[in-house]
Amino acid sequence: MYKKIAIACAASLLVSHIRAATPHYPDALETIPTTTENINAGLELDAYQTGLLAYIWGYPLVRMERVAREYSDVSGPQSPTSYRAPLNQIGWAATVATADAKDMPTPNNDTAYMSAVVKLDEPFILHVPDTNDRYYVVDVFDMWQNLQHYVGRRATGTKPGDYALVPPEWNGQLPEGVKRLDVSTNKVWLWGRMRAIEGEDLAPMHALQKQFTLRPLSHWKDTNYAPVAAALPPLPAIEGDEFGFFTHLAAALKSNAVPAQDAALFGQFARIGLTKNGFDRSKLTPPQRKGLLRALADGPKVAVSALATSTVDRNGWSWSTGLDNFGYDYPLRALVAGPYLGGNGEKEAMYPLRSTDAQGNQLAGGKNYMIRFVKAPPVNAFWSLTVYDATDKLLVENPIHRYKLGSGTKGLNVRADGSVEVRMQNAPPSGDAANWLPTPKGPFYVILRLYQPTDEVLSGKYELPQVEPVQ
């Protein structure tokens, strides 16, 4: 009897010891009351965080579908800087962008742009001419703003060539000598650039532009081919629609399948009414609607945060790579699709961006600045430094119509040691203005474009110049 009691006591002590030795972790989910207040708060928060993900993930697709319609609309008058063209046709700008160019945010002032929105009911063949080493590049973007192929000086050379844009699941035969470029969506955007040197006669460039052709495979050898008039159906009207972004995203998903690697992420969006069948807001509760509207308001801030999370700081410049390989970096992809639409990957061009001076203060037109290049950036093509208004992200109107300085600038003063000093200010400098880069009266930012950068640039060995405020 006593032996059994002793054993029981020992077992009890052992269990108590084990329990005492097991750490207790606080767990708010175990103890939270399932009140209506907490449930409604959770519904709002879930819609908010899910809506943020959906916005950042889906923004590039919405942006590209909108751009596809905008850039293929030639119903109005076209300026010399316009590159618009009807669906399945190539459009070239006749000259480089100026302050009057409003289509493209953050345009360069180095190249004439090319655009073609192509609906791939069958493969289309892009023919490029011999440009005699003149710099050009044609980027092939899918509808998620993924840069899938390069055709141009760096990637394929400047000799004549034929490149077939092949839609998903097409298994036919291509003509001999035509290079196959598989794409992941049934529409693509061709976004091209051709260098225009400051002051040159543009007639030779215009002649080259006319030699770029785009034809469906079924008419490849038809010298009398005339494109059939076609247009994309309009996106749904969203005037007055507080959830207009999701309306457009649902419409865009009808003709663009969710990538396989995003299937699990997309499945989460059913909680906010977004599925492969469309966007159903009727099932949203008031707290969910509130959270989703907050997400739409804050989504752009998440995209802009990629300047901190997806770039590195190089002497005060935001240095970003991977623009042709976003992977799962959805904020960076969204940011590029917005104000930096059509950006190249780093091997083609680098775009160090700067909006602050050496003291960390916002660049502003009320101050004067000096940038001193110890030597010209080492590139295999050319470089430029361009000023943009921080508000509209466009080139800055100025009395001398100068928007950039760089390797093609006529009269640029280069010192005997190879250094170049650039003065950035709103008012003309006293004395020599050869190296003056005009700025707006308000906040601005600058981009240093490095076309075909060398390994010295890509590795970081070349030190980017500081931006010093001066009196």
Side-chain angles (χ1 to χ4, degrees), residues 18-237:
I18 292 173
R19 287 177 175 171
T22 302
H24 175 71
Y25 300 107
D27 189 335
L29 184 55
E30 274 191 316
T31 57
I32 187 173
T34 53
T35 61
T36 300
E37 180 182 4
N38 283 337
I39 290 173
N40 286 339
L43 286 171
E44 179 183 341
L45 288 170
D46 182 55
Y48 177 67
Q49 64 94 15
T50 306
L52 280 178
L53 278 173
Y55 177 88
I56 292 300
W57 173 80
Y59 176 86
L61 179 62
V62 172
R63 170 77 161 142
M64 290 291 287
E65 288 287 357
R66 290 171 175 174
V67 163
R69 287 157 176 80
E70 181 182 351
Y71 287 6
S72 58
D73 178 7
V74 293
S75 58
Q78 303 300 306
S79 71
T81 63
S82 174
Y83 34 75
R84 295 190 183 198
L87 186 67
N88 299 332
Q89 298 181 46
I90 291 174
W92 277 104
T95 187
V96 297
T98 65
D100 295 327
K102 307 297 184 183
D103 270 353
M104 168 62 58
T106 319
N108 76 56
N109 183 245
D110 307 306
T111 69
Y113 282 116
M114 182 205 94
S115 176
V117 178
V118 192
K119 188 173 184 295
L120 297 174
D121 295 323
E122 62 175 301
F124 269 68
I125 297 181
L126 171 69
H127 172 77
V128 300
D130 186 343
T131 67
N132 194 28
D133 201 46
R134 181 188 287 264
Y135 177 86
Y136 85 94
V137 63
V138 177
D139 299 335
V140 181
F141 286 93
D142 72 3
M143 295 309 290
W144 295 89
Q145 168 64 46
N146 294 313
L147 204 173
Q148 299 195 303
H149 302 283
Y150 296 92
V151 176
R153 183 175 183 266
R154 177 193 63 85
T156 59
T158 59
K159 296 299 182 184
D162 295 291
Y163 301 87
L165 307 167
V166 179
E169 300 180 3
W170 186 84
N171 296 311
Q173 283 291 118
L174 292 173
E176 185 176 353
V178 175
K179 181 175 177 56
R180 179 174 179 139
L181 302 179
D182 288 286
V183 296
S184 59
T185 53
N186 60 15
K187 288 195 297 294
V188 294
W189 179 42
L190 305 184
W191 184 231
R193 302 163 176 85
M194 181 178 289
R195 189 184 185 192
I197 302 173
E198 182 180 324
E200 75 167 325
D201 178 7
L202 294 180
M205 183 187 75
H206 295 157
L208 282 175
Q209 290 175 338
K210 293 176 181 178
Q211 296 176 52
F212 285 74
T213 63
L214 183 64
R215 295 177 182 170
L217 176 60
S218 58
H219 292 275
W220 181 43
K221 289 296 186 179
D222 182 0
T223 56
N224 296 317
Y225 169 71
V228 177
L232 297 172
L235 291 170

Side-chain angles (χ1 to χ4, degrees), residues 209-292:
Q209 290 175 338
K210 293 176 181 178
Q211 296 176 52
F212 285 74
T213 63
L214 183 64
R215 295 177 182 170
L217 176 60
S218 58
H219 292 275
W220 181 43
K221 289 296 186 179
D222 182 0
T223 56
N224 296 317
Y225 169 71
V228 177
L232 297 172
L235 291 170
I238 59 172
E239 185 177 356
D241 181 357
E242 60 185 356
F243 295 117
F245 172 83
F246 290 110
T247 300
H248 275 184
L249 178 54
L253 287 168
K254 293 292 185 181
S255 57
N256 297 278
V258 174
Q261 68 270 21
D262 294 339
L265 174 63
F266 182 71
Q268 306 300 307
F269 303 153
R271 296 201 303 281
I272 58 171
L274 181 65
T275 69
K276 65 180 181 180
N277 297 319
F279 175 59
D280 184 1
R281 74 194 71 195
S282 67
K283 297 179 180 179
L284 295 174
T285 64
Q288 286 176 309
R289 296 177 71 93
K290 184 178 179 181
L292 206 52

Side-chain angles (χ1 to χ4, degrees), residues 344-418:
N344 285 293
E346 62 268 21
K347 290 183 179 179
E348 188 68 36
M350 281 300 304
Y351 306 95
L353 182 147
R354 180 118 194 192
S355 58
T356 58
D357 63 20
Q359 280 73 51
N361 298 315
Q362 170 67 49
L363 298 176
K367 298 180 180 179
N368 301 338
Y369 304 93
M370 175 75 75
I371 298 182
R372 184 175 187 272
F373 293 87
V374 175
K375 67 173 184 177
V379 292
N380 289 320
F382 55 99
W383 66 274
S384 66
L385 179 71
T386 311
V387 168
Y388 297 94
D389 187 293
T391 303
D392 61 18
K393 297 178 173 59
L394 297 176
L395 296 167
V396 177
E397 187 58 81
N398 63 85
I400 63 172
H401 307 296
R402 177 182 289 166
Y403 310 102
K404 60 104 190 294
L405 289 174
S407 50
T409 302
K410 290 185 176 297
L412 187 69
N413 287 335
V414 180
R415 296 193 171 194
D417 62 359

